[in-house]
Amino acid sequence: MAAPRKPFEPASPEQVAFLETAVEQYGKATYNYALRLTHNEADARDLTQEAFIRVYRAWRSFKPGTSFLSWIYRIVTNLYRDELRRRKGRYQEEIPEDNEPQAYGTGRPLAVTPIDEYVEGQLSEPVSKALEALSPDQRQIVVLADIEECSYQEIAEIVGCSIGTVRSRLHRARGQLKKLVTRNMKSSP
Amino acid sequence: MNTNEHPTLEQLNDYVHGELPEQQDAAIHAHLSGCAPCAEAHETEVRIGEVLREHARAEERELPLGFAQRIVDAAVASESHREPWWEAFTRVLRPAIAVPAIVALALIVYLAVAGSKQGAAVQSATIDAAAYLDNHAALATDMPFSETAMEPTAFASASSDGNDR
């Protein structure tokens, strides 16, 4: 393992090159992840920049062979939480209301959800609104599971919770998303 | 679970995300082929994911122009302006040392002043032997039959007169 750089030692060309490569390869993904969390371009830019500054400072702690994307998503997630705490005074951790699985398969007919009725090209706005209306915790999980297609294990590492919590949050978030989409569909002209 | 058992919505969700153990995954797979309501629910769960990804792709942005370079510049600048750890440590430590030192000094001064006053008070409160005897004699007058009572001078002289007789 390389020795840690002494304070005030000028940045090595390797460190700068590491950052440049990271930004080039993962900058867009990180920016879009931040954008999906914040729904705000200025905040997404700030989060992305701050996340890469953290990467730059801790570049030696990155282990080759591990997922860089998981690492930077974790940094962005933590920065986003800090920002929420700072703005709201207190970050509202989501407390699972009910971890019991919801049984549905009892033979009763299933209502066809508006999701099924969507026509390509008409989806974006109600889904965007529904995603935005989710709690920050739920949005994070949905973005990571369904958009970034991370495994539960990866999500648990990024968000800093157990796989069981990922599972129950995702389940409830998707349920909530369906309700919100239904509401948005009804309210849209 | 067996293939006749309807999966819960949570299990379907895990199935869609490929997060079930092999055996359970196979059981649900087999169940879906023969159960229309479950197949429909599964389709809905799959569709949610597709809709979200379609939405994400549609909304995906490129990095703003020049942003990548700004990130690199900001990172390099932030590092060069960073305070060395020992300076940050001493800066934090400064009040941590100064405040207790001032408190300790104030305490020493206070104790020194209070100590000298108390010393004077102790000195002035010293009872000399004559005053003690007078007080004790007065107490004995109130309780003349106490065993420890000192015999007042007046009785002493009277009793000595009586003994002489």
Side-chain angles (χ1 to χ4, degrees):
Chain A
M1 189 179 154
R5 199 165 57 82
K6 289 172 188 167
F8 278 157
E9 187 182 325
S12 65
E14 291 89 356
Q15 187 182 5
V16 178
F18 178 85
L19 179 68
E20 282 172 343
T21 308
V23 173
E24 191 186 327
Q25 288 186 8
Y26 302 102
K28 184 180 166 184
T30 308
Y31 174 63
N32 278 288
Y33 175 58
L35 201 56
R36 281 170 202 134
L37 292 184
T38 60
H39 282 268
N40 179 304
E41 278 190 40
D43 287 345
R45 273 200 301 270
D46 289 348
L47 270 184
T48 306
Q49 181 166 311
E50 190 54 38
F52 277 106
I53 288 174
R54 303 284 172 102
V55 163
Y56 179 73
R57 286 176 183 169
W59 76 293
R60 282 188 195 277
S61 54
F62 176 69
K63 290 176 191 159
T66 59
S67 168
F68 180 87
L69 210 54
S70 289
W71 184 35
I72 198 153
Y73 278 5
R74 180 164 174 74
I75 296 172
V76 171
T77 302
N78 288 337
L79 287 170
Y80 175 56
R81 278 185 181 169
D82 291 346
E83 186 58 22
L84 283 177
R85 277 197 201 103
R86 199 180 63 76
R87 288 186 188 179
K88 291 182 182 173
R90 180 170 80 86
Y91 181 63
Q92 305 258 323
E93 277 287 350
E94 193 185 17
I95 299 160
E97 291 149 11
D98 181 12
N99 285 330
E100 288 298 309
Q102 291 173 16
Y104 83 92
T106 50
R108 60 190 157 79
L110 289 162
V112 177
T113 68
I115 302 262
D116 299 323
E117 295 171 342
Y118 271 141
V119 181
E120 297 293 330
Q122 294 183 327
L123 302 169
S124 206
E125 204 184 325
V127 172
S128 175
K129 278 184 182 171
L131 202 55
E132 202 173 341
L134 289 178
S135 74
D137 280 322
Q138 289 182 331
R139 192 160 59 239
Q140 266 173 16
I141 299 282
V142 168
V143 166
L144 288 168
D146 288 309
I147 298 175
E148 303 296 338
E149 298 184 89
C150 295
S151 68
Y152 287 2
Q153 177 67 46
E154 284 172 320
I155 298 171
E157 283 165 15
I158 291 167
V159 176
C161 64
S162 69
I163 290 177
T165 305
V166 171
R167 177 177 281 116
S168 61
R169 277 189 191 172
L170 178 63
H171 176 60
R172 285 191 300 116
R174 285 173 69 108
Q176 182 69 11
L177 196 73
K178 277 188 267 185
K179 279 185 204 164
L180 289 166
V181 170
T182 308
R183 202 175 63 190
N184 292 344
M185 281 285 288
K186 282 177 183 167
S187 63
S188 66
Chain B
M1 72 175 282
N2 60 50
T3 55
N4 295 325
E5 214 177 307
H6 294 292
T8 65
L9 202 52
E10 196 164 24
Q11 283 169 332
L12 266 188
N13 192 23
D14 291 345
Y15 175 77
V16 167
H17 289 94
E19 293 284 347
L20 284 178
E22 266 177 42
Q23 213 174 354
Q24 220 176 340
D25 190 272
I28 291 181
H29 183 76
H31 178 84
L32 290 178
S33 61
C35 178
C38 288
E40 199 176 344
H42 168 252
E43 191 52 40
T44 300
E45 292 302 313
V46 170
R47 191 76 190 108
I48 292 169
E50 286 173 356
V51 166
L52 285 164
R53 283 186 289 280
E54 281 161 15
H55 163 70
R57 273 196 296 273
E59 296 279 304
E60 198 164 74
R61 312 266 176 92
E62 291 296 324
L63 278 184
L65 201 65
F67 184 49
Q69 191 54 49
R70 278 208 300 280
I71 290 173
V72 175
D73 294 344
V76 173
S78 79
E79 186 76 340
S80 62
H81 288 114
R82 267 177 92 192
E83 198 175 17
W85 68 268
W86 67 83
E87 278 192 12
F89 182 67
T90 49
R91 185 169 47 78
V92 171
L93 216 60
R94 240 171 270 146
I97 291 172
V99 171
I102 291 167
V103 171
L105 192 68
L107 201 65
I108 289 165
V109 170
Y110 170 77
L111 287 176
V113 171
S116 67
K117 280 184 183 172
Q118 202 176 13
V122 167
Q123 208 167 13
S124 65
T126 307
I127 303 168
D128 62 73
Y132 173 76
L133 285 173
D134 285 349
N135 287 343
H136 199 83
L139 185 71
T141 313
D142 292 338
M143 293 183 288
F145 303 110
S146 165
E147 282 179 11
T148 55
M150 202 184 199
E151 197 175 15
T153 324
F155 294 136
S157 60
S159 65
S160 65
D161 289 348
N163 287 341
D164 291 344
R165 270 180 210 157

